[in-house]
Amino acid sequence: MPQEFNPPILPPVLSRGSDRDLSVESVIAELPTYHFQVEISCSGVEVAHFLEKYPLLPGVILLEQGEFMGMISRRRLLEFLIRPHGQELFNQETLGVLYSYARTAILQLSGTTPILTAMQHTLRRSPEFLAEPVVIETAVNTYRLLDIHDLNIAAWQIQGIKTQLRHERNQAQMIQNDKMARLGRLVDGVAHEILDPVGFIWGNLTYISNYSQGLLKLIAEYEKELPQISQEITQIKQEIEFDFLEEDLAKVITSIRTGAERLKKLVSGLQNFCYIDEIYPKPTDLHACLDSIILLMKSRLKGEIKIIKNYGQLPPINCFMGQLNQVLMNILSQAIDALINKSVRQDFSQLDPNTVTKPQVKITTKVISLEPTDENLPDSRWVSLCIADNGPGMSPELQQEIRESFSLEKWADKETSLSMSYRIISARHGGKLNFRSQPGIGTEFEILLPLV
């Protein structure tokens, strides 16, 4: 009978992994791993020689005619040796026979698996398998072994990085909140100082109007009583253009009244936007908040973007008005930024103005009912606020990035205005922030706030 040919066993190869520092997104392929593959027709004694020579080698990957069959860890082989008659079998039988006795569940992962995800998979194993190495598939029929201790150390390092990042972000958030509170107080003080002289102007405009009308009336009576006007008076009337002054004075007073009224509304809107929230939420008029923000952003519209308001009948909403104003400002800014882009304006201008809608932002508010998750509970009532634009929309990649920023698992990523808005709506108000976008059609954000 011809003797079966066994290929020579190649010594283990240690891959040092990546040289770059670990981060939250690091994968297991970046960790040190061992490449040690042996045919099952080889004997256990041959493998024991390598295990003795390489004390850090976690195990051996088994192949059957070049195809992956399984894995035996160093720990399982040692346990096999201490069994009754185990040493005799170890010296006489092949690895295939030994594997049939020591077969255990194998955790096999792709090399692109994040380290923290791999750690979660290992913790789901039975307690007796927690110390078993992980089999990593790096390419077709190419497998490596990852020692569980190396994975634990890397996971703890990343947890430390996450803790440090969380601490730094919390500190930055506290500093930002303090800056916003100080800025709010400063703006409120400036707005108050502006309102005082505006109040003086507004309060005296009525008197100025009455006084001027009375003086013009008196001059008219003088002209009736004194038909012969002196040369000096005639010259003065020509110098001051009395006829034009008499006609334009009422218009000037009306213009001053309009400007003072607009400035008063602008400052009031600024005070509302910079409102400093208290510990508990307060009833708020959502439509007043929207009108104040639209007034503050009017200069950015430049007369090219139309704001359409479809306001429904809304009751006062318990909320933190300052934070809610920040969310509304972020979303409206997102919509306006998409519409004031130069290329977008060119696209609108090239189309037929008689058939195509101009750039616009549509704001719709209403009260809706949503079915509860528990069938025993009644339907819940929510306030729905939709802000939709007819801009270019978002690419699928950008939409995915935004949704990932909403996820708590991505807390270490760079904070954005939309992710901050999501946390304010969901965590602070118990609401929901949804969005949908189609390239070439537009984007719509929907805010849902519960009615208590």
Side-chain angles (χ1 to χ4, degrees):
M1 179 177 180
Q3 193 176 25
E4 184 178 2
F5 172 74
N6 289 328
I9 300 177
L10 299 178
V13 178
L14 173 62
S15 173
R16 295 293 180 180
S18 176
D19 294 333
R20 71 183 185 94
D21 295 334
L22 294 178
S23 64
V24 179
E25 293 82 15
S26 295
V27 297
I28 55 178
E30 300 178 32
L31 300 179
T33 55
Y34 283 92
H35 178 69
F36 186 48
Q37 300 183 151
V38 178
E39 286 286 335
I40 61 172
S41 57
C42 296
S43 65
V45 176
E46 294 177 273
V47 173
H49 169 72
F50 288 97
L51 294 177
E52 182 179 359
K53 186 176 180 180
Y54 299 92
L56 298 181
L57 185 63
V60 55
I61 295 173
L62 302 180
L63 303 178
E64 186 175 13
Q65 296 182 356
E67 296 293 330
F68 176 77
M69 180 179 179
M71 181 273 300
I72 299 181
S73 65
R74 172 189 292 269
R75 176 169 169 263
R76 290 296 174 185
L77 286 174
L78 293 177
E79 289 178 353
F80 186 82
L81 284 173
I82 63 177
R83 294 179 182 178
H85 307 290
Q87 189 169 3
E88 297 178 6
L89 291 174
F90 189 84
N91 294 329
Q92 297 175 4
E93 300 295 341
T94 63
L95 288 175
V97 176
L98 298 178
Y99 181 64
S100 64
Y101 285 102
R103 186 187 299 270
T104 58
I106 297 174
L107 178 59
Q108 181 178 335
L109 300 174
S110 171
T112 58
T113 305
I115 292 177
L116 294 181
T117 303
M119 191 64 192
Q120 293 175 354
H121 284 296
T122 61
L123 294 177
R124 295 192 187 104
R125 298 187 295 183
S126 301
E128 63 270 21
F129 300 143
L130 289 178
E132 291 290 290
V134 179
V135 177
I136 301 177
E137 184 178 3
T138 57
V140 179
N141 290 334
T142 304
Y143 299 87
R144 296 179 179 274
L145 287 177
L146 172 62
D147 195 307
I148 191 64
H149 298 293
D150 293 332
L151 178 61
N152 288 336
I153 292 174
W156 278 110
Q157 288 177 345
I158 293 177
Q159 289 291 348
I161 294 173
K162 290 180 65 176
T163 302
Q164 180 65 23
L165 290 174
R166 184 184 291 113
H167 175 68
E168 292 177 356
R169 198 181 77 163
N170 289 339
Q171 280 189 327
Q173 187 64 42
M174 291 174 60
I175 294 173
Q176 180 67 16
N177 291 340
D178 183 66
K179 287 170 62 177
M180 291 300 295
R182 292 177 184 272
L183 181 61
R185 295 187 185 96
L186 177 63
V187 171
D188 184 68
V190 172
H192 182 74
E193 291 298 321
I194 296 175
L195 277 178
D196 281 346
V198 171
F200 300 153
I201 297 172
W202 182 264
N204 290 314
L205 276 175
T206 302
Y207 299 109
I208 293 176
S209 178
N210 294 335
Y211 296 162
S212 61
Q213 293 299 323
L215 291 174
L216 291 175
K217 184 178 180 180
L218 177 61
I219 293 173
E221 290 298 325
Y222 269 116
E223 289 181 344
K224 290 180 181 179
E225 295 293 334
L226 302 173
Q228 297 296 328
I229 302 175
S230 64
Q231 185 67 26
E232 290 79 2
I233 295 177
T234 303
Q235 185 177 356
I236 292 174
K237 290 179 66 176
Q238 292 176 352
E239 290 177 356
I240 66 174
E241 298 180 350
F242 179 77
D243 295 337
F244 174 77
L245 184 151
E246 184 179 13
E247 179 182 352
D248 194 56
L249 184 59
K251 297 179 181 179
V252 171
I253 294 176
T254 302
S255 178
I256 295 174
R257 187 188 302 276
T258 302
E261 184 178 7
R262 181 178 176 184
L263 183 58
K264 187 177 180 181
K265 289 181 179 180
L266 182 64
V267 175
S268 299
L270 193 60
Q271 284 183 316
N272 291 334
F273 179 74
C274 295
Y275 181 83
I276 301 174
D277 291 316
E278 299 181 1
I279 300 177
Y280 302 103
K282 287 187 175 182
T284 303
D285 184 354
L286 185 59
H287 293 159
C289 294
L290 286 167
D291 292 338
S292 298
I293 294 173
I294 293 173
L295 183 62
L296 293 176
M297 302 184 70
K298 194 172 183 180
S299 61
R300 297 193 62 201
L301 303 178
K302 301 178 181 179
E304 300 177 0
I305 301 176
K306 185 178 181 181
I307 302 293
I308 301 176
K309 302 177 184 178
N310 294 328
Y311 289 172
Q313 296 294 329
L314 299 184
I317 303 171
N318 284 326
C319 66
F320 297 96
M321 188 172 70
Q323 296 183 15
L324 186 60
N325 282 335
Q326 191 174 4
V327 172
L328 297 176
M329 176 69 82
N330 290 338
I331 296 178
L332 281 171
S333 297
Q334 184 92 6
I336 294 174
D337 287 342
L339 292 172
I340 64 176
N341 184 281
K342 183 177 180 181
S343 60
V344 175
R345 294 202 306 269
Q346 290 177 350
D347 292 340
F348 277 106
S349 63
Q350 292 173 359
L351 299 174
D352 185 359
N354 297 323
T355 58
V356 179
T357 305
K358 292 295 184 181
Q360 65 181 26
V361 177
K362 184 181 293 185
I363 304 175
T364 305
T365 61
K366 57 185 176 180
V367 177
I368 63 173
S369 296
L370 297 179
E371 295 183 0
T373 55
D374 189 347
E375 59 181 9
N376 296 323
L377 297 176
D379 291 349
S380 54
R381 299 175 70 239
W382 298 71
V383 168
S384 171
L385 191 159
C386 293
I387 300 176
D389 65 73
N390 60 343
M394 302 181 187
S395 64
E397 294 78 13
L398 180 57
Q399 296 182 46
Q400 183 63 26
E401 289 180 7
I402 294 176
R403 290 190 175 89
E404 288 181 354
S405 70
F406 290 173
S407 174
L408 293 177
E409 297 177 357
K410 295 291 182 178
W411 60 267
D413 290 352
K414 181 180 179 181
E415 187 80 3
T416 63
S417 60
L418 289 178
S419 62
M420 181 182 62
S421 300
Y422 177 81
R423 289 174 178 83
I424 290 175
I425 294 298
S426 59
R428 293 288 286 171
H429 293 85
K432 303 175 183 179
L433 176 59
N434 306 317
F435 80 96
R436 45 189 170 270
S437 180
Q438 295 184 22
I441 297 179
T443 303
E444 179 181 357
F445 284 89
E446 182 183 27
I447 299 174
L448 295 176
L449 298 173
L451 280 176
V452 181

